[in-house]
């Protein structure tokens, strides 16, 4: 009898376990049938609403399919994606960012020209360099819906009060230092030092004119030009004292937060935040300019996000159609005219500027056009996320004068450049 | 005779009840199987494989364990950090919460309210606690601001200094966990046998002597329980360093669980993460067993 009880309990447990598993499977985007799941990050109600609007456009274009949207905040999205990939539960249409792609290529299907034709994507209709955004070692893993690069944002009120020179198109690193020094007072810093990968590397790359990774994916952190430029960057805190030292390695958005809260006169951040900075909470007048130019010009990286197709998607053709609809003219026009991000589709780009308040429009357009005129796709190594994770907490020690930038880069090179 | 007729009835009732109990417990058993047994078994297997998130899994035997001990630059520092944290945190937390429970044991006014106040950090979300501590400790924060205003002294950048960062993680954790152990000790102190206490008083025991010879031995089972649980949670510390210091500066506050998290979720090396998790498990089991072994010498159970 006891054996029967145990057997009954185990059967019940197994039934529940299996029910749980199959329920997970039914939700999966990669499951068969006519349901296509779209998985994308969204940090706010506005983000979710904008994605829902794009999904509605895709749904209208594909009435025979059922499109379901799943979202998670940026910070959780990639953890969730890792788990989904490991359990074979990745959504058929999954969002991806240029900086993160190298760690996730195994989960995405390589997109061939036939795939793009099925999706209705014509490469020439996208901006120059846009298709590089979600490519890795020559293979395309997705199509971008937006493109971005890094800009210098400034607090025009703060610069006005201190009489600091205002950043402008064509400005140099000497001009940058002059502005940062003039805007530094007891109350606020001239510059918010960066902690995020894009944010801290943008100025060193622009100054050195080289990336810390070679085009073939070899790590090149100890390239003398990059080391010099990165050292200069760290010294903005320790030597020039135009930036506040970071208070903790967990403050990943330190410089941008300092800027947006009115504690720093300038910061480097992506074009994706342009509208957010113009509508900042403290209410200061925000301005933007391209990155300053070094001796070899001002090298910027083209970044962006888009959608790819899961490697194990059972209904690839339907997923491609959904992907095509999410990047259709109508959808791209929507994200452009809502001012949410700068679309990758050329014909939609003017709508982005038209969506901005008239007083900012010319300045933003000029900064964008100038910044995008000298961009290069980001080169990354296969273990780039490890390098990023290693360097970020080390930067805190650099900014607090306990470690040299050259040493950090040398250690990272020897540890990850094998 | 009556006993003889009642016994089978009780047996039938017991069987029926046990069947019902089994029915009620089966969802919990299913949960246990799904969320405990399966992951545990899977993680043992994972530890012996090169197990990327996606792609081919390769059996590598003990290579992950060897790699951790010989070729992983962050593993030893993470172990060291975990031990440093536990060595600082456990005694401070247990001792302070015991003192707090003792202070609130006397019949002072409003002790119930005070206990609630000290318990608030335990039930407040850790994210909120960390935010407050960051606001206190950053260079432009309250602590440094007051120090400069009152004494003209500029304090270190606590969370960015390798020496101070760990101390601050410990301080914040002690503050956060104080109320939990305090409640356990308060409950134990409330149940001190009056006869023993009274006898000790009649014999002239007061103050420290009373505390050391009577109160502590009588509450030693609670102290043992609190020490075990606090040690286990200290060895598994993750959220405080992850959110307060990001494991930095460098890797000076990265504990072993954050190392496991990074290997598994950031670097997608699930085999290495599983191996590290089993090493942590072995350490915790060994330490707990050692504590159970040592308890015979100092824990006083009333029989």
């Amino acid at each position: 009898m006891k054996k029967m009880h145990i057997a009954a309990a185990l059967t019940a447990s197994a039934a529940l376990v299996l029910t749980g598993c199959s329920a997970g499977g039914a939700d999966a985007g990669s499951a068969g049938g006519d349901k296509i799941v779209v998985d994308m990050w969204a940090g706010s109600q506005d983000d979710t609403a904008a994605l829902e609007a794009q999904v509605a456009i895709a749904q209208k274009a594909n009435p025979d399919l059922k499109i379901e949207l799943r979202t998670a905040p940026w910070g959780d999205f990639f953890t969730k994606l890792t788990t989904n990939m490991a359990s074979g539960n990745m959504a058929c249409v999954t969002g991806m960012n240029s900086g993160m792609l190298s760690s996730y290529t195994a989960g995405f299907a390589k997109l061939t020209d036939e795939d793009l034709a099925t999706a209705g994507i014509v490469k020439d209709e996208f901006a120059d360099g846009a298709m590089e955004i979600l490519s890795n070692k020559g293979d395309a893993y997705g199509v971008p819906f937006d493109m971005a690069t890094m800009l210098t944002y400034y607090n025009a009120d703060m610069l006005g009060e201190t009489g600091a020179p205002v950043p402008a198109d064509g400005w140099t690193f000497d001009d940058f230092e002059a502005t940062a020094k003039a805007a530094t007072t007891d109350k606020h810093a001239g510059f918010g030092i960066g902690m995020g990968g894009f944010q801290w590397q943008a100025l060193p790359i622009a100054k050195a004119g080289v990336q810390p990774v070679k085009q073939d994916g070899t790590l090149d952190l100890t390239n003398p030009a990059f080391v010099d430029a990165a050292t200069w960057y760290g010294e903005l805190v320790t030597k020039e004292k135009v930036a506040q030292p970071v208070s903790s390695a967990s403050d990943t958005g330190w410089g941008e937060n300092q800027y947006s809260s009115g504690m720093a006169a300038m910061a480097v951040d992506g074009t994706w935040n342009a509208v957010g900075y113009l509508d900042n909470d403290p209410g200061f007048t925000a301005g933007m300019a391209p990155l300053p130019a070094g001796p070899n010009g001002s090298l910027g990286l083209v970044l962006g996000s888009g959608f790819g197709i899961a490697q194990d998607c059972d209904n690839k053709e339907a997923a491609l159609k959904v992907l095509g609809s999410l990047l259709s003219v109508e959808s791209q026009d929507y994200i452009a005219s809502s001012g949410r991000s700068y679309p990758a589709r050329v014909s939609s780009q003017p709508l982005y500027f038209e969506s901005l308040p008239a007083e900012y429009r010319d300045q933003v357009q000029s900064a964008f056009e100038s910044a995008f005129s000298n961009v290069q796709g980001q080169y990354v190594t296969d273990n780039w996320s490890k390098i990023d994770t290693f360097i970020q907490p080390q930067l805190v020690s650099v900014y607090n004068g306990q470690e040299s930038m050259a040493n950090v880069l040398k250690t990272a090179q020897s540890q990850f450049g094998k | 005779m009556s006993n003889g007729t009642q016994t089978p009835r009780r047996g039938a009732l017991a069987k029926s009840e046990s069947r019902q109990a089994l029915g009620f417990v089966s969802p919990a058993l299913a949960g246990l199987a799904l969320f405990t047994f399966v992951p545990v078994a899977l993680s043992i297997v994972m530890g012996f494989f090169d197990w990327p998130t996606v792609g081919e899994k390769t059996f590598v035997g003990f290579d992950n364990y060897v790699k951790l001990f010989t070729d992983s630059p962050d593993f030893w520092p993470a172990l060291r950090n975990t031990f440093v944290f536990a060595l600082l945190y456990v005694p401070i937390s247990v001792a302070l919460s015991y003192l707090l429970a003792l202070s609130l044991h006397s019949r002072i006014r409003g002790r119930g309210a005070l206990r609630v106040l000290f318990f608030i950090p335990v039930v407040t979300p850790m994210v909120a606690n960390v935010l407050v501590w960051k606001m206190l400790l950053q260079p432009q924060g309250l602590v440094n601001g007051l120090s400069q205003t009152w004494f003209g002294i500029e304090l270190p950048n606590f969370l960015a200094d390798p020496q101070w960062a760990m101390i601050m993680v410990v301080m914040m954790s002690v503050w956060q966990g104080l109320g939990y152990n305090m409640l356990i000790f308060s409950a134990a102190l409330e149940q001190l046998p009056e006869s023993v206490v009274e006898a000790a008083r009649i014999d002239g025991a007061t103050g420290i002597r009373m505390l050391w010879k009577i109160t502590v031995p009588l509450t030693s089972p609670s102290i043992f329980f609190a020490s075990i649980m606090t040690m286990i949670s200290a060895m598994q510390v993750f959220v405080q360093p992850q959110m307060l210091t990001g494991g930095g500066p460098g890797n000076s506050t990265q504990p072993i669980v954050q190392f496991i998290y990074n290997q598994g979720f950031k670097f997608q090396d699930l085999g290495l993460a599983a191996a590290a998790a089993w090493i942590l498990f072995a350490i915790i089991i060994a330490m707990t067993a050692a504590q159970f072994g040592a308890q015979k010498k100092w824990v006083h159970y009333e029989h």
Side-chain angles (χ1 to χ4, degrees):
Chain A
M1 200 62 184
K2 270 183 187 171
K3 279 180 187 167
M4 276 184 69
H5 289 163
I6 294 166
L10 286 176
T11 312
S13 309
L16 275 165
V17 169
L18 292 172
T19 316
C21 287
S22 65
D27 279 348
S30 52
D34 293 335
K35 187 168 90 172
I36 296 294
V37 178
V38 177
D39 201 359
M40 189 62 184
W41 57 86
S44 64
Q45 288 280 342
D46 285 352
D47 287 350
T48 310
L51 278 171
E52 280 168 353
Q54 290 166 67
V55 167
I57 292 169
Q59 184 67 76
K60 206 172 107 192
N62 301 280
D64 51 328
L65 299 172
K66 186 181 181 309
I67 306 173
E68 185 186 308
L69 176 68
R70 275 195 222 150
T71 61
W74 168 269
D76 299 332
F77 179 82
F78 292 95
T79 310
K80 205 176 135 194
L81 178 56
T82 303
T83 317
N84 285 341
M85 275 168 64
S87 57
N89 218 7
M90 191 170 155
C92 265
V93 180
T94 294
M96 188 34 66
N97 173 268
S98 55
M100 305 297 285
L101 177 66
S102 66
S103 304
Y104 294 93
T105 48
F108 285 92
K110 288 177 190 171
L111 297 181
T112 60
D113 285 345
E114 292 85 67
D115 290 335
L116 294 180
T118 308
I121 302 277
V122 180
K123 284 184 194 174
D124 292 347
E125 292 174 0
F126 287 76
D128 289 343
M131 298 310 282
E132 281 180 48
I133 289 171
L134 291 178
S135 292
N136 189 273
K137 294 181 183 165
D139 293 317
Y141 290 92
V143 185
F145 63 77
D146 72 355
M147 53 196 298
T149 191
M150 305 303 279
L151 293 178
T152 314
Y153 292 95
Y154 59 86
N155 182 325
D157 298 340
M158 223 175 251
L159 298 187
E161 283 163 23
T162 52
V166 178
D169 195 5
W171 67 323
T172 65
F173 275 90
D174 288 341
D175 299 330
F176 172 83
E177 279 190 41
T179 300
K181 278 178 189 166
T184 302
T185 68
D186 290 343
K187 287 183 184 164
H188 50 75
F191 180 64
I193 203 85
M195 281 285 283
F198 301 135
Q199 284 80 2
W200 86 263
Q201 286 167 35
L203 284 182
I205 290 171
K207 194 170 198 285
V210 292
Q211 295 195 41
V213 179
K214 290 179 186 164
Q215 194 164 5
D216 62 0
T218 319
L219 191 63
D220 196 21
L221 282 167
T222 43
N223 182 314
F226 185 76
V227 172
D228 285 351
T231 302
W232 165 84
Y233 186 74
E235 285 177 350
L236 289 173
V237 186
T238 54
K239 194 171 153 195
E240 304 297 339
K241 299 197 185 301
V242 295
Q244 288 287 340
V246 180
S247 68
S248 159
S250 63
D251 286 323
T252 49
W254 176 260
E256 309 86 88
N257 291 342
Q258 287 258 303
Y259 169 72
S260 58
S261 61
M263 300 285 290
M266 289 189 291
V268 167
D269 202 1
T271 47
W272 57 84
N273 271 334
V275 173
Y277 285 138
L278 293 171
D279 296 331
N280 59 76
D281 283 338
F284 61 80
T285 310
M288 63 194 77
L291 300 179
N296 307 319
S298 177
L299 176 63
L301 303 184
V302 63
L303 311 164
S305 302
F307 292 104
I309 304 293
Q311 178 89 278
D312 58 355
C313 177
D314 288 340
N315 200 348
K316 192 176 174 187
E317 195 178 330
L320 282 167
K321 283 180 181 164
V322 172
L323 181 137
S325 307
L326 288 169
L327 294 153
S328 65
V329 175
E330 192 183 351
S331 185
Q332 287 273 281
D333 281 356
Y334 168 77
I335 65 161
S337 53
S338 64
R340 297 198 63 78
S341 51
Y342 190 57
R345 195 177 271 279
V346 177
S347 65
S348 304
Q349 288 180 344
L351 290 172
Y352 176 81
F353 301 116
E354 285 169 28
S355 74
L356 301 172
E359 68 264 33
Y360 299 128
R361 199 172 296 156
D362 291 344
Q363 185 194 26
V364 176
Q365 186 160 2
S366 156
F368 271 51
E369 283 172 358
S370 178
F372 278 109
S373 67
N374 189 21
V375 288
Q376 201 172 69
Q378 188 190 15
Y379 308 144
V380 289
T381 63
D382 289 339
N383 57 0
W384 188 243
S385 66
K386 287 188 188 181
I387 298 161
D388 224 15
T389 304
F390 171 80
I391 291 181
Q392 190 166 303
Q394 306 283 344
L395 286 176
V396 178
S397 302
V398 173
Y399 299 151
N400 280 276
Q402 289 147 344
E403 182 61 280
S404 76
M405 183 69 94
N407 209 19
V408 169
L409 297 176
K410 195 174 141 198
T411 310
Q413 178 71 35
S414 64
Q415 201 167 313
F416 300 103
K418 296 168 197 166
Chain B
M1 188 69 187
S2 62
N3 280 350
T5 52
Q6 278 173 6
T7 310
R9 273 189 206 161
R10 268 211 303 270
L13 187 65
K15 277 177 189 171
S16 153
E17 279 184 345
S18 72
R19 266 199 298 274
Q20 287 167 2
L22 207 58
F24 283 119
V25 88
S26 52
L29 279 179
L32 198 67
L34 183 61
F35 297 112
T36 307
F37 295 144
V38 173
V40 164
L42 190 62
S43 74
I44 295 174
V45 176
M46 269 182 175
F48 294 106
F49 277 79
D50 175 14
W51 193 299
T53 309
V54 171
E56 201 159 316
K57 285 94 181 158
T58 323
F59 182 75
V60 292
F62 283 93
D63 277 10
N64 284 328
Y65 291 89
V66 174
K67 193 176 168 187
L68 283 172
F69 286 116
T70 59
D71 193 32
S72 176
D74 281 342
F75 180 71
W76 283 111
L79 264 187
R80 178 204 62 204
N81 293 335
T82 304
F83 278 111
V84 169
F85 176 83
L87 282 173
L88 291 171
Y89 172 69
V90 177
I92 296 174
S93 176
V94 172
L96 274 185
S97 38
Y98 196 82
L99 283 177
L100 198 61
L102 275 176
S103 317
L104 295 174
H105 177 51
S106 326
R107 301 200 179 284
I108 56 169
R109 283 170 75 89
R111 65 183 173 146
L114 282 170
R115 278 181 189 159
V116 170
L117 283 178
F118 282 110
F119 196 70
I120 283 176
V122 180
V123 290
T124 313
M126 190 78 87
V127 180
N129 289 339
V130 170
L131 278 178
V132 171
W133 275 78
K134 276 178 103 167
M135 283 162 70
L136 291 174
L137 295 174
Q138 64 181 359
Q140 300 87 10
L142 186 72
V143 174
N144 195 28
L146 290 179
S147 166
Q148 283 184 324
T149 315
W150 291 349
F151 310 111
I153 298 169
E154 187 168 344
L155 297 174
N157 190 351
F158 289 116
L159 300 177
D161 186 292
Q163 274 78 46
W164 280 103
M166 181 57 91
I167 294 171
M168 290 305 148
V169 171
V170 172
M171 267 180 69
M172 191 246 148
S173 305
V174 167
W175 170 84
Q176 156 95 25
L178 210 56
Y180 184 78
N181 284 342
M182 180 203 69
L183 275 198
I184 291 168
F185 295 141
S186 292
L189 289 168
E190 296 284 343
Q191 287 172 1
L192 283 180
E194 275 296 322
S195 55
V196 179
V197 175
E198 211 166 297
R201 286 226 173 87
I202 292 168
D203 288 346
T206 51
I208 296 288
R209 196 179 173 83
M210 178 79 176
L211 173 71
W212 199 244
K213 297 283 183 188
I214 305 295
T215 314
V216 169
L218 285 177
T219 52
S220 56
S222 304
I223 299 174
F224 175 62
F225 171 77
S227 305
I228 291 264
M229 299 309 286
T230 310
M231 190 275 294
I232 292 173
S233 67
M235 294 301 290
Q236 295 174 340
V237 65
F238 173 67
V239 183
Q240 299 94 309
Q242 164 87 356
M243 300 203 62
L244 199 62
T245 60
N251 58 11
S252 62
T253 55
Q254 185 186 83
I256 191 76
V257 178
Q258 193 180 7
F259 172 85
I260 293 167
Y261 171 82
N262 283 348
Q263 295 302 324
F265 290 103
K266 284 194 171 172
F267 310 154
Q268 300 175 14
D269 194 341
L270 299 174
L272 207 65
W278 277 98
I279 292 169
L280 175 64
F281 172 79
I283 292 170
I284 292 178
I285 285 287
M287 289 173 75
T288 309
Q291 278 179 293
F292 266 94
Q295 64 146 343
K296 290 168 195 155
K297 291 183 181 165
W298 68 275
V299 180
H300 171 82
Y301 291 105
E302 279 196 75
H303 297 290

